[in-house]
Amino acid sequence: IKNLGFDMLDGQHYIRLLHYLCPEHCSLAPLQDKNPEVRLARAVEMAVQCQRLPPPVTKRVSESDG
């Protein structure tokens, strides 16, 4: 990515980033769309889906846990 604003316009890099961050919910399939507006719209839909996911739960191990 050389120019974040310009590179994100058609959604290609955004889709790859979402897939990296949330692969179980964000596929690379939208990259097959030839229409950049459709591709970007699908990227935004995936971003919303990823935001709906609960954050990972981390459990702190203490001495009382055994």
Side-chain angles (χ1 to χ4, degrees):
I1 298 175
K2 302 221 185 275
N3 178 336
L4 185 60
F6 181 75
D7 287 342
M8 297 295 258
L9 285 177
D10 68 357
Q12 289 185 23
H13 294 298
Y14 196 45
I15 290 167
R16 286 186 178 94
L17 176 63
L18 288 169
H19 179 71
Y20 176 78
L21 296 173
C22 189
E24 61 277 357
H25 295 282
C26 300
S27 76
L28 295 176
L31 292 174
Q32 303 303 315
D33 290 318
K34 300 296 182 202
N35 184 328
E37 291 177 6
V38 171
R39 193 170 43 239
L40 182 58
R42 293 187 67 194
V44 170
E45 290 171 6
M46 287 191 305
V48 169
Q49 179 64 31
C50 283
Q51 286 182 346
R52 290 183 182 161
L53 299 174
V57 177
T58 57
K59 181 181 178 190
R60 189 175 199 173
V61 177
S62 67
E63 292 179 28
S64 62
D65 288 340

